[in-house]
Amino acid sequence: MTMLSAPGTRVLLIGTGAHSADSDLPPVPAVVGTLADLGQVLVERCGLAEENLRVVRDPANPTELGIAVAQEAERTEGVLWVYYVGHGLVNPAGELYLATAATDSRPGWVGYTALAYSAIRGSLLQSPARSIVVVLDCCFSGHAVGFLGDAEGHGVDLARVHGGYVLAAAARDELALATPGAPHTAFTGELIRLLTEGDPEGPQQLTLRQVYRYLNRTLPARGFPRPRHHASARIDDLVLCPNPAYRPTPLSPVLPVSTPVTDDAAPQTCPYPGLAAFGPGQAQWFFGRDRLTAELAERLAGRMDATDPLVIVGPSGSGKSSLLGAGLLTALGKGDMPVPGSKTWPHLLLTPTEHPLAELATRLARLTGTSGGSLREELADDPRRLLVAIREMLQARAGQAAITGSRLVLVVDQFEETFTQCADVQQRKVFISALCAAACGDGAEPPALVVLSMHSDFQDHCVDFPELRPALNNTPLFIGPMTASELREAIEQPAQLTGLALQPGLVDIVLRDLGADRAAQYHDPEALPLLSHALRATFQHREDRMLTVAGYVAAGGIRNAVETTAEATYGAFNSTEQQIARSLLLRLVYVGEGTQDTRHRASHIRLFQGPEDPDAAASVLENLVRAGLVAYEKDTVEITHEALLRAWPRLREWIDSDRPGLRIYQQLAKATDAWNRQGRNPAKLYRASRLSLVRDWASDPNRPIHPTPLEREFLNTSIHAVRRRRRLVGLPVVAACFLLLLTGITRVVYDYLSGDTDASTYSLSDSPTLRSAKKQGMLHIGIAADKPGWSEFSAGKAKGFDVDLALYIAKSLSFTRSEVRFVPVGRMSRAATLATGQIDLVIDSYSMTTQRESKVDFAGPYYLDGQTFLVRDENETKSATDLNGKIVCTAGESISEGRLLDLFPKINFEERAGIDECVEDLLDNNSDAVAGGSAILSGFVRSNPKELRILETVFEPVDRYGVAMRIGDPALRHIVCDSIKDYANSGNWQSSYRKYLASPGFDSPNPPNCETRPQE
């Protein structure tokens, strides 16, 4: 653990580069970039928690500066680091003062407009901090070398702390320097370079002592002042970060395992991060991706004039996060991006989290020196404000000079969290709009190079946002597997850097287990976290300095190391702790709907709001973190990597055994969050159809997850709201029933009750169809088998738009995937099979006419379509009028023929049993066109893109596609309709439409609102 990553550590960065109009001090433009980049280095390289970093830029006066120091001194219990950049002044009495925005350098004014270093000393002496570090990058800073006294030093000043350290950029009578136009001051710039690039002549760890030695060696060689320092109580042994440039003395030939190496200085640092990704602070151990890192840097360089983000995609476990954190950012810092000046460009690396807009604003505020809260509000009002904020930041770094060619590199890792974590649709839209605005420049030079990295499964989600479509079409960078030689480098080089030996044959065995034991062979693209975890577990079984084959086998190897670790951790828990572990882990899973399951980041506070004993839960969590299965950072908790979901059979079984329940829970959590975030808006409460399903789930004592107090309050509030609605409609309904029964109009009563009442009056138990299906343990759903895109059977499996919709509806009816049986139905047999109870629902792409509605009940529409014609691509037909006198095929019972004859009376229509037979006739040149719905015909175009095309739609969308069921089950109709609405609102409708139905020139329209009353 480094000094800055230790609990209780706080860092206060202060910089004064701009001064008031009344001040006679020259500005120091480099302060802006110096503070921003130093803060990033301390977080990314040294492990400082971001919430423990405070930046004060251009304090208005000495009081503001003094209060900031006093506040941090008062709240720090571990290590306190105070760092100042700006002008230093000395009064006639020889006392050091630190400049503020109001400072006037006239001798009589300094004491009132700048802060005396003695005042800072007084605050620090009162601090409960264990150790104190002060760094002064200012003129005459040598006056503070005694740390809390004068140049001779007074030991009494350090009596209240366990260790004190001061580092000054200049001697008592020297000026600290900043090269004009440079992004950093000379002193701090060299420190940033050391922490980023390392010292080839230095030891494995960079301590405060090594920092001074490096600066004392390099600064004078560059023509800058020699630094001064003072230390007490061995505080200069505190580690800041690993040395990125460290290269150990080559190891002697590897000894046989029968002759174990004995070494009192056996390495204690494991260079393999396990399931976690390589971060910027672990770049020195990141190997095997040089080619891909260079390609990524080249891609960015080639996008200086681009107006959309660069998209990076790859499967889970392919190393996207490591490539960005340890690869790209390190390459930028080294100047490996072939663009002049890019080495000094600022960068941001973030993940969206539950509140992506707030995360973006907070992270950017650290660079701009503005308030994160106010910037978030500005972005919410106008996403293009991000463009302005970045330009202002770049201009401030350049000393308010006009800038060209400079960029902020804005990297969003795990971009899929925008969809899986963020429940606020509006915030999601604003976040994406802001990122795209920063990348496009709004007609001027773009201020940012935006990189979006995401799981391959989530590309379809992005298409809903027009701003992202160009980026998706502009050749995203795909992260593929590593070659055998790259894998060998990734295994061997980190071991060499940390003084570890690898037993002969170990690497070959590892590569064999990966399936990449030949030079040009590639491994499983999702296996990198498994490899890293297996190597970390092998390190824990090492013999002195050697990683052995026996240790690798004991760890479980590539395929079983994760399971071995997880089972050992789980097995050490008692029965109560095991139940807690199951509950905690399942709360950290996002169950995919059409995508792979992913991890879910949860707040530490919310995670512990369940019914578990907080102390026991904290103990369980601590053990999961220690085992590397769970990561705990910035008050949030998440599974370290999705690989755990696949590599630990027990967790996989937990997920699969309660998948519907987990989906119910994650929807409940999102709904509760939206309700609470919007001031407990009654419109966000559950209606009865969904409420019944959730109440059944919440009341089951055997569920592994139970609602938190806030979620329980949301449910109770929803229940009370439903009861109020029932009381309000109850009297009118009774009165209406009485009057209508007196007049004998029974059917009107039924229509009123089954069509007009609020859906919230129904629950699953009210449906006779569902009761019967539950009794049988199977829901039978009829679909067509011959409509590409909509519904198709292949190898006994159903797929298509209607199938996706059917599974979603089934889930809302509390049926799992294994409890759904799809039954192929024909156009003529649908109503009959419903009436006889052979099937429970028909989900088919047919228009619900008045005649059809007399035979079945209807929930819909889930789509509105128009009529058009399908022709062979070689056919010269340009419009429907060219088909007069030609042969046009239609399906039986199609409503196309009657409509089209009114417009085109000379068309010769022929009827077939199904639309697929019509298409076969068309492909065989037995007809000139096929008449039907636009979307149905589009499915055939997707299947035969070189042979078929669609004419312009003849009629506006009038065909209403619906879900059919037996007459006499109003509860089922209402619940299905609610499910269709949820399906549309969740984004699944658009995603499935694009996947199965969209074809070139045929864009997906918005789904209509579902209706429960038959059309008159």
Side-chain angles (χ1 to χ4, degrees):
M1 178 179 291
T2 67
M3 175 187 74
L4 299 186
S5 64
T9 297
R10 295 193 64 82
V11 174
L12 173 62
L13 300 184
I14 309 163
T16 303
H19 305 87
S20 66
D22 298 331
S23 174
D24 58 349
L25 289 176
V28 187
V31 164
V32 177
T34 299
L35 290 182
D37 295 346
L38 178 60
Q40 281 195 325
V41 168
L42 295 179
V43 170
E44 295 176 354
R45 301 287 176 180
C46 301
L48 175 68
E50 197 162 351
E51 62 270 21
N52 292 338
L53 171 66
R54 181 179 179 184
V55 180
V56 177
R57 199 181 94 189
D58 298 331
N61 49 57
T63 301
E64 181 179 324
L65 176 52
I67 289 176
V69 174
Q71 287 174 335
E72 296 306 309
E74 188 177 63
R75 70 178 58 166
T76 305
E77 297 180 354
V79 177
L80 172 60
W81 189 348
V82 178
Y83 198 114
Y84 176 83
V85 185
H87 285 293
L89 303 98
V90 178
N91 70 0
E95 296 177 308
L96 177 65
Y97 283 78
L98 306 183
T100 66
T103 297
D104 191 315
S105 64
R106 288 176 291 179
W109 290 73
V110 171
Y112 301 100
T113 58
L115 181 65
Y117 180 71
S118 60
I120 294 178
R121 177 183 61 191
S123 293
L124 298 181
L125 282 173
Q126 300 303 316
S127 174
R130 183 180 69 253
S131 302
I132 298 174
V133 177
V134 175
V135 181
L136 300 178
D137 184 2
C138 62
C139 301
F140 318 123
S141 50
H143 279 271
V145 165
F147 180 59
L148 300 177
D150 57 25
E152 284 71 33
H154 294 286
V156 67
D157 291 330
L158 301 180
R160 299 179 61 88
V161 293
H162 298 293
Y165 187 89
V166 66
L167 180 62
R172 295 165 62 90
D173 56 353
E174 278 187 310
L175 301 177
L177 301 178
T179 304
H184 308 135
T185 62
F187 175 85
T188 307
E190 198 65 28
L191 174 61
I192 291 173
R193 182 179 295 107
L194 170 64
L195 298 178
T196 303
E197 301 178 14
D199 179 9
E201 301 178 22
Q204 185 174 353
Q205 303 292 339
L206 295 179
T207 63
L208 286 174
R209 178 185 292 106
Q210 183 59 29
V211 166
Y212 169 73
R213 290 176 177 174
Y214 172 85
L215 297 177
N216 191 50
R217 183 178 79 241
T218 59
L219 285 169
R222 296 172 183 264
F224 299 120
R226 185 182 300 278
R228 302 295 195 272
H229 85 299
H230 177 80
S232 69
R234 300 188 60 82
I235 190 174
D236 52 0
D237 287 332
L238 287 175
V239 176
L240 294 186
C241 69
N243 181 4
Y246 173 70
R247 295 295 181 268
T249 303
L251 294 170
S252 57
V254 177
L255 299 177
V257 69
S258 58
T259 310
V261 179
T262 58
D263 188 351
D264 294 336
Q268 299 300 312
T269 300
C270 178
Y272 309 108
L275 292 176
F278 285 91
Q282 298 163 309
Q284 68 271 26
W285 299 323
F286 181 64
F287 289 92
R289 284 297 198 184
D290 291 348
R291 177 186 56 80
L292 192 57
T293 300
E295 181 182 353
L296 179 53
E298 289 279 355
R299 284 282 196 100
L300 275 182
R303 298 181 65 80
M304 287 295 289
D305 297 322
T307 58
D308 53 85
L310 171 65
V311 175
I312 298 175
V313 296
S316 175
S318 58
K320 300 183 295 297
S321 296
S322 297
L323 176 68
L324 295 174
L328 175 63
L329 297 189
T330 301
L332 291 174
K334 291 180 178 178
D336 291 344
M337 182 174 164
V339 177
S342 60
K343 184 176 181 178
T344 64
W345 290 355
H347 67 264
L348 280 184
L349 173 63
L350 60 94
T351 53
T353 74
E354 287 182 300
H355 308 291
L357 202 60
E359 183 72 7
L360 174 62
T362 300
R363 299 297 301 277
L364 185 61
R366 194 179 73 195
L367 294 179
T368 61
T370 58
S371 164
S374 61
L375 180 57
R376 186 208 178 285
E377 293 176 0
E378 292 176 8
L379 292 177
D381 292 336
D382 182 4
R384 291 173 298 179
R385 183 68 182 90
L386 180 63
L387 197 83
V388 178
I390 295 174
R391 284 190 175 131
E392 290 176 347
M393 180 269 295
L394 293 174
Q395 201 165 26
R397 289 171 69 98
Q400 302 304 322
I403 56 168
T404 57
S406 183
R407 297 287 191 276
L408 166 70
V409 180
L410 177 51
V411 182
V412 183
D413 189 22
Q414 300 176 43
F415 184 66
E416 65 271 11
E417 285 189 358
T418 311
F419 310 104
T420 62
Q421 300 272 357
C422 179
D424 187 338
V425 176
Q426 180 59 28
Q427 183 177 175
R428 185 184 306 159
K429 292 179 179 177
V430 172
F431 176 65
I432 291 174
S433 296
L435 294 176
C436 292
C440 88
D442 202 15
E445 181 182 88
L449 291 175
V450 179
V451 180
L452 307 179
S453 173
M454 75 183 81
H455 193 295
S456 308
D457 283 0
F458 289 87
Q459 291 184 79
D460 284 348
H461 289 66
C462 298
V463 183
D464 287 337
F465 300 89
E467 308 101 310
L468 290 176
R469 291 174 189 167
L472 295 173
N473 294 330
N474 194 13
T475 317
L477 177 62
F478 181 77
I479 308 302
M482 297 167 69
T483 64
S485 59
E486 290 173 332
L487 288 168
R488 184 178 293 275
E489 182 182 357
I491 298 169
E492 294 177 343
Q493 290 298 318
Q496 181 181 351
L497 284 179
T498 48
L500 290 167
L502 299 173
Q503 183 183 10
L506 174 61
V507 178
D508 294 328
I509 293 173
V510 173
L511 293 179
R512 183 200 64 195
D513 290 351
L514 279 171
D517 47 343
R518 291 190 297 276
Q521 196 170 9
Y522 290 86
H523 74 292
D524 177 356
E526 300 185 12
L528 289 181
L530 303 182
L531 167 64
S532 185
H533 181 84
L535 292 172
R536 188 174 185 86
T538 304
F539 174 86
Q540 293 166 351
H541 289 81
R542 69 189 182 281
E543 297 183 21
D544 296 313
R545 294 168 54 205
M546 181 179 290
L547 303 190
T548 66
V549 174
Y552 173 74
V553 172
I558 294 293
R559 299 301 168 188
N560 298 317
V562 172
E563 180 183 359
T564 300
T565 300
E567 283 297 319
T569 305
Y570 180 77
F573 295 144
N574 60 38
S575 58
T576 300
E577 291 171 334
Q578 288 181 345
Q579 293 176 358
I580 292 174
R582 180 178 183 182
S583 176
L584 291 179
L585 288 168
L586 290 178
R587 289 175 189 272
L588 301 177
V589 175
Y590 177 85
V591 179
E593 299 182 14
T595 60
Q596 283 189 4
D597 299 335
T598 59
R599 54 184 171 172
H600 170 75
R601 186 181 293 110
S603 99
H604 179 266
I605 295 175
R606 183 181 300 176
L607 193 66
F608 282 4
Q609 285 181 340
E612 300 89 359
D613 174 16
D615 292 337
S619 175
V620 168
L621 179 61
E622 182 180 352
N623 281 279
L624 293 173
V625 171
R626 188 180 297 114
L629 305 176
V630 168
Y632 180 21
E633 184 179 3
K634 292 172 57 177
D635 293 328
T636 62
V637 182
E638 65 179 334
I639 287 172
T640 310
H641 197 281
E642 276 96 5
L644 183 67
L645 278 60
R646 301 184 295 273
W648 189 14
R650 185 185 298 274
L651 178 57
R652 180 82 261 155
E653 181 183 353
W654 287 343
I655 296 170
D656 290 339
S657 65
D658 193 32
R659 186 170 293 273
L662 293 177
R663 284 182 175 146
I664 290 172
Y665 174 71
Q666 69 190 28
Q667 290 168 359
L668 170 64
K670 284 185 177 181
T672 302
D673 182 62
W675 170 71
N676 191 52
R677 191 177 58 252
Q678 297 185 20
R680 307 202 166 191
N681 184 356
K684 294 296 181 180
L685 294 172
Y686 275 162
R687 300 175 70 186
S689 55
R690 178 177 291 183
L691 183 60
S692 174
L693 182 66
V694 179
R695 288 180 69 184
D696 290 344
W697 169 84
S699 62
D700 185 349
N702 296 319
R703 292 286 187 192
I705 300 179
H706 300 280
T708 66
L710 182 61
E711 290 159 358
R712 180 70 65 182
E713 183 180 356
F714 170 79
L715 286 176
N716 291 336
T717 306
S718 297
I719 292 169
H720 294 322
V722 168
R723 289 173 178 171
R724 284 196 300 271
R725 283 197 296 268
R726 286 177 174 173
R727 286 197 298 269
L728 289 174
V729 301
L731 183 59
V733 171
V734 172
C737 290
F738 178 72
L739 293 174
L740 292 171
L741 284 171
L742 286 178
T743 56
I745 313 177
T746 307
R747 178 63 186 176
V748 177
V749 176
Y750 168 77
D751 281 346
Y752 174 79
L753 291 177
S754 63
D756 258 2
T757 54
D758 192 314
S760 64
T761 59
Y762 294 109
S763 67
L764 299 177
S765 60
D766 295 329
S767 166
T769 302
L770 294 182
R771 290 199 300 269
S772 174
K774 273 296 181 185
K775 186 175 181 180
Q776 298 176 21
M778 190 66 63
L779 183 70
H780 293 83
I781 300 179
I783 59 173
D786 56 357
K787 293 184 174 62
W790 288 95
S791 52
E792 300 171 81
F793 277 90
S794 177
K797 295 183 178 180
K799 67 176 182 178
F801 178 88
D802 285 342
V803 175
D804 283 0
L805 174 61
L807 291 173
Y808 191 93
I809 292 173
K811 180 190 68 176
S812 69
L813 301 178
S814 197
F815 287 87
T816 65
R817 175 64 181 86
S818 62
E819 294 174 326
V820 176
R821 178 168 298 167
F822 288 105
V823 181
V825 294
R827 183 176 296 271
M828 308 298 184
S829 63
R830 290 177 294 203
T833 51
L834 276 172
T836 57
Q838 299 175 49
I839 53 178
D840 304 303
L841 298 172
V842 170
I843 301 183
D844 199 354
S845 50
Y846 63 90
S847 306
M848 296 301 298
T849 63
T850 303
Q851 180 182 13
R852 287 170 182 164
E853 286 173 349
S854 66
K855 302 177 182 178
V856 297
D857 264 347
F858 166 68
Y862 58 81
Y863 180 64
L864 295 175
D865 199 12
Q867 296 289 309
T868 189
F869 296 94
L870 182 69
V871 297
R872 294 185 299 277
D873 190 57
E874 63 188 25
N875 194 317
E876 297 182 356
T877 300
K878 298 292 190 297
S879 66
T881 55
D882 295 336
L883 293 174
N884 271 323
K886 303 292 180 64
I887 299 174
V888 176
C889 183
T890 63
E893 283 196 359
S894 171
I895 62 176
S896 301
E897 182 175 348
R899 290 176 175 175
L900 296 174
L901 277 174
D902 292 336
L903 289 177
F904 312 105
K906 297 182 180 180
I907 288 180
N908 298 310
F909 284 102
E910 291 188 357
E911 190 173 286
R912 297 288 184 269
I915 203 78
D916 57 325
E917 294 185 17
C918 285
V919 174
E920 289 179 9
D921 278 356
L922 179 64
L923 292 172
D924 293 336
N925 287 320
N926 293 327
S927 66
D928 300 294
V930 177
S934 302
I936 296 177
L937 299 181
S938 176
F940 288 98
V941 172
R942 282 172 59 98
S943 301
N944 304 272
K946 296 182 179 180
E947 300 173 86
L948 300 174
R949 61 184 170 89
I950 295 179
L951 300 184
E952 185 176 350
T953 301
V954 178
F955 288 115
E956 290 300 314
V958 290
D959 295 346
R960 303 167 54 249
Y961 297 172
V963 179
M965 60 204 72
R966 288 190 293 279
I967 288 178
D969 198 341
L972 180 59
R973 184 166 63 186
H974 278 287
I975 296 170
V976 168
C977 203
D978 273 356
S979 182
I980 293 173
K981 292 177 183 177
D982 292 341
Y983 188 71
N985 293 334
S986 68
N988 287 289
W989 194 98
Q990 293 282 6
S991 176
S992 183
Y993 196 98
R994 287 190 308 273
K995 180 177 181 181
Y996 291 112
L997 299 176
S999 62
F1002 190 78
D1003 292 332
S1004 167
N1006 292 324
N1009 288 325
C1010 182
E1011 304 160 357
T1012 54
R1013 282 194 65 131
Q1015 295 295 301
E1016 298 298 330

